[in-house]
């Protein structure tokens, strides 16, 4: 096991003229907070008053599926398969052509998603974890399981009972899609803490949780511990670095960035949780809730903003002090501007956290239930979940529909209903 390197790269930051340092964090001059782009920019067409021009539509090719009773709801697609809920607990899985694959009683909460061709459920009556394939066939039943998580990159976590000298002893461990145990060095006695869903494997690194230490570390694809569990928080690796948190010398939790062997790339200095790196840039937030972008040397390279998203494919959404929203490129040039009348409907993840309604996924930009182009133009609205594999669930209420009828099913990227559920007339 490699020794975790705690010595950070402190350095002396050279700050642009529009910021100055205070108490180890950055503060913006007020003149930097209003965006007045001088170059000609695109005007984003996001306009809630135009929603009916962008609603999904039924076509002659739409497949109709009849139902009785409770109105179905389609969950997000995963690997070309989605769950159709027919009430609180009952339902079934379908493929992207609308073919029924198998019935499934999901219980309360969300139905599990497929990963690497399988899903896992927990039967509390028999204390079993059950792994199913896409046909609904049982691959394996694992006895004496009291908790399990979904599969992530072919790995799931379970809390399983092992009979010992003094009765049943419970351990938290990892398994593969065949139900076989993984990572012998990452088996921990179960505690009262909830079971942690495995982190995705990014750049041959995945965060793991030590239930005895109550701290995080990182493993590689084979389960070898490459950074031991000494971290309060551990985010996914991106562009060779990961965002982590620890307590500093004064005992205060701070955030910083490490490389793949645990060496600090940017030392612990951020009190508020920053973003992960994308396009060589990451968002940081100071104590006054002003946002900046930094490079991998920890240098501030942007103006201060009142809000921001991470960069995705070279673009990010930012907000100035007047709550105007813009899309910028990695040179921090404004390339698109949202209509000021509606930009207050957009809430950036930094510094607003979970209250944000702006979501980047691949090349897609979502605001609430509306799909926008990367430049902020409206494409399709009333999308229940982001597109996955070319399809997305859609629930169009009658008062939003051009024909004043309710439509529910899933749509393609042209906004066409591929499948629509239709209630039997008699």
């Amino acid at each position: 096991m490699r020794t975790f390197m705690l010595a950070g790269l402190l350095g002396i930051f050279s700050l642009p003229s529009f910021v100055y340092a205070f108490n180890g964090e950055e503060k913006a001059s007020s003149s930097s907070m209003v965006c007045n782009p001088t170059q000609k920019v695109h005007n984003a067409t996001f306009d809630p008053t135009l929603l009916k021009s962008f609603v999904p539509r039924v076509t002659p090719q739409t497949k109709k599926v009849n139902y009785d009773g409770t109105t179905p709801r389609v969950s997000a697609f995963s690997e070309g398969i989605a769950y159709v809920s027919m009430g609180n607990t009952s339902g079934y899985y379908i493929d992207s052509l609308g073919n029924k694959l198998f019935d499934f009683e999901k219980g309360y909460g969300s139905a599990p998603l497929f990963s690497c061709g399988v899903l896992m459920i927990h039967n509390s009556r028999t204390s079993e974890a059950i792994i199913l394939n896409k046909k609904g066939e049982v691959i394996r039943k694992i006895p004496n399981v009291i908790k399990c998580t979904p599969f992530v990159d072919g790995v799931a976590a379970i809390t399983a009972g092992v009979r010992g000298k003094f009765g049943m002893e419970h351990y938290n461990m990892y398994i593969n899609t065949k139900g076989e145990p993984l990572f012998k060095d990452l088996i921990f006695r179960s505690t009262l803490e909830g079971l942690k869903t495995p982190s995705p494997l990014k750049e041959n690194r995945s965060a793991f949780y030590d239930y005895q230490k109550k701290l995080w570390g990182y493993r590689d694809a084979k389960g070898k511990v490459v950074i031991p569990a000494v971290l309060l928080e551990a985010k996914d690796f991106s562009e060779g670095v990961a965002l982590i948190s620890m307590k500093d010398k004064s005992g205060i939790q701070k955030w910083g960035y490490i490389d793949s062997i645990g060496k600090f790339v940017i030392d612990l200095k951020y009190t508020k949780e920053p973003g992960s790196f994308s396009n060589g840039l990451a968002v940081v937030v100071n104590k006054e809730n002003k946002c900046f972008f930094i490079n991998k040397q920890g240098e501030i390279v942007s103006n201060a903003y009142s809000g921001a998203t991470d960069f995705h494919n070279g673009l990010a959404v930012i907000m100035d002090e007047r709550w105007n929203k813009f899309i910028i490129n990695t040179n921090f040039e404004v390339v698109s501007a949202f209509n000021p009348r509606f930009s207050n409907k957009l809430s950036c993840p930094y510094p607003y956290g979970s209250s944000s309604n702006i979501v980047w996924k691949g090349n897609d930009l979502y605001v609430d239930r509306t799909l926008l182009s990367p430049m902020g133009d409206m494409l399709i609205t009333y999308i229940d979940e982001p597109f996955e594999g070319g399809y997305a669930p859609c629930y169009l209420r009658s008062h939003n529909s051009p024909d004043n009828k309710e439509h529910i099913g899933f749509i393609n990227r042209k906004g066409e209903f591929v499948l629509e559920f239709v209630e039997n007339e008699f």
Side-chain angles (χ1 to χ4, degrees), residues 100-121:
K100 183 177 178 179
L101 300 176
F102 61 93
D103 291 313
F104 183 75
E105 298 291 328
K106 72 178 179 64
Y108 292 94
S110 301
L113 299 177
F114 276 90
S115 175
C116 298
V118 301
L119 60 77
M120 184 162 58
I121 58 174

Side-chain angles (χ1 to χ4, degrees), residues 6-13 249 264-269 297-298:
L6 296 178
L9 301 179
L10 295 174
I12 298 176
F13 297 167
K249 293 179 181 179
F264 273 104
V265 176
I266 301 174
D267 198 33
L268 298 168
K269 66 169 292 184
Q297 288 72 49

Side-chain angles (χ1 to χ4, degrees), residues 259-296:
D259 65 15
S260 61
I261 61 172
K263 181 179 178 181
F264 273 104
V265 176
I266 301 174
D267 198 33
L268 298 168
K269 66 169 292 184
Y270 304 107
T271 304
K272 299 189 177 184
E273 182 178 340
S276 295
F277 274 93
S278 177
N279 297 112
L281 300 164
V283 184
V284 297
V285 184
N286 73 3
K287 291 179 179 178
E288 293 185 340
N289 280 337
K290 299 299 184 285
C291 300
F292 307 83
F293 286 97
I294 60 169
N295 61 20
K296 288 184 181 178

Side-chain angles (χ1 to χ4, degrees), residues 46 48 51 317 325 327 338 342-347 356-360 364-373 376 378 380-383:
F46 175 66
L51 287 180
V317 178
K325 309 297 192 310
I327 296 175
F338 288 95
F342 307 115
S343 64
N344 62 350
K345 295 182 177 292
L346 286 72
S347 177
S356 169
N357 63 359
I358 300 175
V359 176
W360 288 97
D364 292 341
L365 174 61
Y366 295 89
V367 176
D368 290 332
R369 298 173 62 204
T370 302
L371 171 66
L372 308 180
S373 75
M378 291 181 63
I380 313 171
T381 191
Y382 302 119
I383 300 171

Side-chain angles (χ1 to χ4, degrees), residues 55-196:
V55 298
R57 61 194 181 279
V58 176
T59 72
Q61 289 72 43
T62 300
K63 181 177 180 178
K64 307 290 186 177
V65 176
N66 294 321
Y67 72 91
D68 291 303
T70 304
T71 303
R73 294 298 296 266
V74 183
S75 301
F77 275 87
S78 63
E79 300 186 351
I81 294 177
Y83 185 72
V84 180
S85 176
M86 300 299 296
N88 288 332
T89 61
S90 63
Y92 57 91
Y93 283 93
I94 59 172
D95 63 20
S96 59
L97 298 176
N99 299 314
K100 183 177 178 179
L101 300 176
F102 61 93
D103 291 313
F104 183 75
E105 298 291 328
K106 72 178 179 64
Y108 292 94
S110 301
L113 299 177
F114 276 90
S115 175
C116 298
V118 301
L119 60 77
M120 184 162 58
I121 58 174
H122 180 246
N123 188 327
S124 58
R125 295 188 299 272
T126 61
S127 296
E128 291 177 316
I130 304 171
I131 302 175
L132 306 176
N133 63 18
K134 290 185 176 181
K135 296 180 180 179
E137 300 168 337
V138 175
I139 295 176
R140 186 166 182 178
K141 293 183 178 180
I142 308 171
N144 301 320
V145 173
I146 61 173
K147 296 178 185 177
C148 66
T149 73
F151 281 98
V152 177
D153 292 342
V155 176
I158 62 172
T159 301
V162 178
R163 200 164 298 280
K165 183 184 296 185
F166 304 104
M168 194 71 74
E169 299 174 351
H170 290 91
Y171 293 87
N172 295 334
M173 62 185 71
Y174 295 106
I175 60 171
N176 62 19
T177 55
K178 297 179 180 179
E180 301 166 338
L182 295 171
F183 315 148
K184 62 182 178 63
D185 293 330
L186 297 177
I187 298 175
F188 304 98
R189 279 188 176 273
S190 178
T191 65
L192 294 177
E193 287 187 273
L195 190 62
K196 311 294 186 184

